[in-house]
Amino acid sequence: DAGVIQSPRHEVTEMGQEVTLRCKPISGHDYLFWYRQTMMRGLELLIYFNNNVPIDDSGMPEDRFSAKMPNASFSTLKIQPSEPRDSAVYFCASSLTGNIQYFGAGTRLSVL
Amino acid sequence: KNEVEQSPQNLTAQEGEFITINCSYSVGISALHWLQQHPGGGIVSLFMLSSGKKKHGRLIATINIQEKHSSLHITASHPRDSAVYICAVTSGGGADGLTFGKGTHLIIQP
């Protein structure tokens, strides 16, 4: 398997624009996680899915953030409208129930 | 909410030294994870443990559930071990999101 695949790897956008981050989990994994990493706050959980259903979205910072998982092979994290304070590295990870999480390479987002 | 504390924050050592990184948490957990983040930014899971001790190559992870404490040891350290080591915990049977420590930045000098 190619591992967890995230796209794009880098995204530069202007404040107010919509940003969509994409993630393809490892085939067969039933959990998918979205994390954000900043210098100030470190790594934080945003939301996670089990069998495509959102289980805990308490880490989503604001209504500007939304995440979907329309099928077992694909998830998106959308920010609309984006703000400079959303600049961070966004990681997607997947796992099989109760096992270690495999991380994607991350998307580095810069909002100008 | 679980509070995860790591020490030290930064560690510089010479090649060959024995390294210990510590992690403590505030609330009971179902599993503790040790992760490695390379200078390029990628994150790799090293260990997931809920009791006792695990070993993989030169890396050893231990956990004391009663004391809410874990340690990561590196034997015969090498410059390629230079990375950020992150402790994280889960509370929901292992099948929920991670709560992370701030990480330990390790530099091994030749």
Side-chain angles (χ1 to χ4, degrees), chain A residues 35-65:
Chain A
Y35 297 102
R36 179 173 67 174
Q37 184 176 37
T38 62
M39 289 292 292
M40 290 296 294
R41 299 173 66 92
L43 278 158
E44 304 174 285
L45 173 69
L46 298 177
I47 185 171
Y48 76 94
F49 297 82
N50 175 221
N51 291 323
N52 313 338
V53 176
I55 303 301
D56 181 359
D57 66 354
S58 60
M60 296 285 264
E62 299 172 29
D63 290 345
R64 298 183 297 105
F65 285 69

Side-chain angles (χ1 to χ4, degrees), chain A residues 9 31 33 35 37 40-45 48 91 97-105 108, chain B residues 33 35 37 40-45 47-48 86 90 93-102:
Chain A
R9 291 293 313 278
Y31 279 82
F33 307 85
Y35 297 102
Q37 184 176 37
M40 290 296 294
R41 299 173 66 92
L43 278 158
E44 304 174 285
L45 173 69
Y48 76 94
F91 288 99
T97 303
N99 287 297
I100 64 171
Q101 296 183 21
Y102 293 84
F103 285 75
R108 183 173 297 275
Chain B
H33 302 244
L35 310 168
Q37 186 166 29
I43 298 174
V44 175
S45 291
F47 295 103
M48 174 179 163
I86 303 168
T90 54
D96 64 356
L98 297 172
T99 300
F100 299 88
K102 296 288 188 200

